[in-house]
Amino acid sequence: MSLVQHERHVNTATRSLIKTLYDSGVRNCQVMNVTGNIHGGNDKVGFNVQHVRNVLRDKRKKRFEIGDVQAGLDLLHRLNEKNGSKYFIRTKVDEENRLKCLVWIDLRYLMAYQNFSDVVVFDTTYRANRYTMSFVPFTEVNHHYQSVIFGFVLMRDEHASTFEWILRSWLAGVGNKPPLTIITDQDQAMASAIAIILSNTTNLLCSWHISQKFPEKLAHYYSDFPEFKTDFNHYIYKSVTECIFEARWASFVEKYHLQEHKWLNGLYELKHKWILAYTRNTFSAF
């Protein structure tokens, strides 16, 4: 859904008020209270707090002027020169010459990458709030099970074409050596780009990101069956073999009548792509 569709109930005067309140340090929930008082109640406003967030997101994007971009790039290039060109930097701008993507790799870690590129994590869940750009670290695990961040990406959108550009740039920065495995969330655009650019790399899904959706997607079962969460976690995380998991899963589905649960069935179909443990320091295969 487009930004315009999201804001269809927010007229020009109200958008101006929202921005003014935001600049004055008023929080989003308080903005809703102010507009509710003006209209005689929050139920009469015609929009909700998500619409407020979208108005402010648009405002923050407009802040991202070329001066900010150039200042940031100049700083990166000065640091690179000062440190003997130890960083790989590649940028992409849009038709208005605004920064769309930035790939940065610390070349001092290339030796570590050459030795420990079996598993790389590409985590798009971070946010750089001021400009609403995603901050995406490239992380690997060394022989001490320690996470090593050897580069990062700033990106303004999460389209498949953007991910393709990022992955091509990243490969150029690491000597065109793709990892054996890359761990991501369930972003379909990212999956499509990986299939094209890293066709021989196995794409696994991080179970931590998936598990964040459990309370939302399974709220009814969590509230109605006190033992549901314990059973669910036990079957997923403590089944040491595939045969044990399949037997336990069949019993679990029957016990809670989950045969027609669309989201859970979809998750089951993707179980071969899960990687169960993703922490700052350790990985464990499903």
Side-chain angles (χ1 to χ4, degrees):
M1 183 176 291
S2 70
L3 184 61
V4 174
Q5 288 174 311
H6 273 306
E7 297 180 13
R8 63 188 183 276
H9 298 305
V10 187
N11 59 39
T12 302
T14 303
R15 280 200 293 271
S16 179
L17 173 62
I18 290 171
K19 294 172 184 178
T20 300
L21 291 172
Y22 172 78
D23 288 337
S24 300
V26 179
R27 292 180 297 177
N28 293 350
C29 59
Q30 294 171 324
V31 169
M32 284 300 301
N33 291 336
V34 171
T35 54
N37 289 335
I38 293 173
H39 289 84
N42 286 358
D43 58 327
K44 298 179 181 179
V45 170
F47 58 86
N48 56 36
V49 70
Q50 184 58 53
H51 295 96
V52 173
R53 294 192 188 102
N54 290 334
V55 170
L56 297 177
R57 178 181 63 187
D58 186 44
K59 174 182 173 65
R60 286 191 293 267
K61 282 185 177 180
K62 289 179 179 177
R63 284 181 177 175
F64 204 26
E65 302 296 338
I66 186 62
D68 293 336
V69 176
Q70 197 57 55
L73 293 179
D74 287 347
L75 174 61
L76 286 175
H77 286 297
R78 285 199 303 272
L79 288 173
N80 203 18
E81 291 177 6
K82 183 178 180 180
N83 288 279
S85 299
K86 293 181 179 179
Y87 308 126
F88 171 89
I89 304 171
R90 184 166 291 183
T91 60
K92 182 178 183 181
V93 296
D94 62 16
E95 62 279 359
E96 298 179 15
N97 206 33
R98 296 179 304 171
L99 183 65
K100 186 174 183 179
C101 296
L102 182 148
V103 174
W104 180 92
I105 297 172
D106 191 332
L107 299 180
R108 293 171 297 181
Y109 288 100
L110 277 188
M111 181 63 72
Y113 176 80
Q114 297 299 321
N115 293 326
F116 307 114
S117 60
D118 291 5
V119 178
V120 170
V121 180
F122 192 76
D123 190 348
T124 61
T125 60
Y126 294 89
R127 288 288 185 271
N129 291 330
R130 182 178 180 187
Y131 297 120
T132 66
M133 295 186 78
S134 296
F135 171 77
V136 185
F138 288 112
T139 310
E140 62 187 357
V141 179
N142 64 19
H143 56 304
H144 295 297
Y145 284 90
Q146 297 170 327
S147 295
V148 178
I149 297 178
F150 60 94
F152 68 81
V153 173
L154 286 176
M155 54 191 295
R156 210 168 68 220
D157 64 62
E158 297 184 10
H159 300 150
S161 59
T162 301
F163 282 123
E164 289 177 27
W165 181 88
I166 288 170
L167 292 176
R168 286 194 185 97
S169 300
W170 172 54
L171 281 177
V174 297
N176 290 308
K177 181 179 180 180
L180 298 179
T181 300
I182 187 167
I183 301 173
T184 67
D185 58 20
Q186 289 178 277
D187 188 287
Q188 291 302 308
M190 166 59 86
S192 298
I194 290 172
I196 295 171
I197 309 302
L198 304 175
S199 57
N200 294 320
T201 297
T202 299
N203 182 198
L204 296 180
L205 303 177
C206 171
S207 68
W208 184 87
H209 290 117
I210 296 172
S211 68
Q212 301 308 295
K213 300 179 182 178
F214 290 168
E216 172 193 350
K217 300 294 185 179
L218 302 169
H220 162 64
Y221 299 92
Y222 272 47
S223 61
D224 290 356
F225 303 99
E227 71 278 15
F228 179 86
K229 182 177 180 180
T230 300
D231 286 348
F232 192 41
N233 290 341
H234 178 75
Y235 296 154
I236 292 176
Y237 298 109
K238 296 186 179 180
S239 297
V240 294
T241 69
E242 184 176 355
C243 289
I244 291 175
F245 169 78
E246 293 292 351
R248 288 177 172 176
W249 187 259
S251 174
F252 176 72
V253 168
E254 182 177 357
K255 177 179 179 180
Y256 293 102
H257 307 290
L258 293 164
Q259 292 85 349
E260 304 301 322
H261 197 287
K262 185 176 179 180
W263 182 80
L264 203 57
N265 286 334
L267 205 58
Y268 175 80
E269 293 299 321
L270 290 173
K271 69 183 186 300
H272 63 286
K273 298 188 71 174
W274 281 38
I275 185 160
L276 278 189
Y278 167 32
T279 68
R280 297 291 177 182
N281 298 308
T282 184
F283 294 84
S284 176
F286 184 71

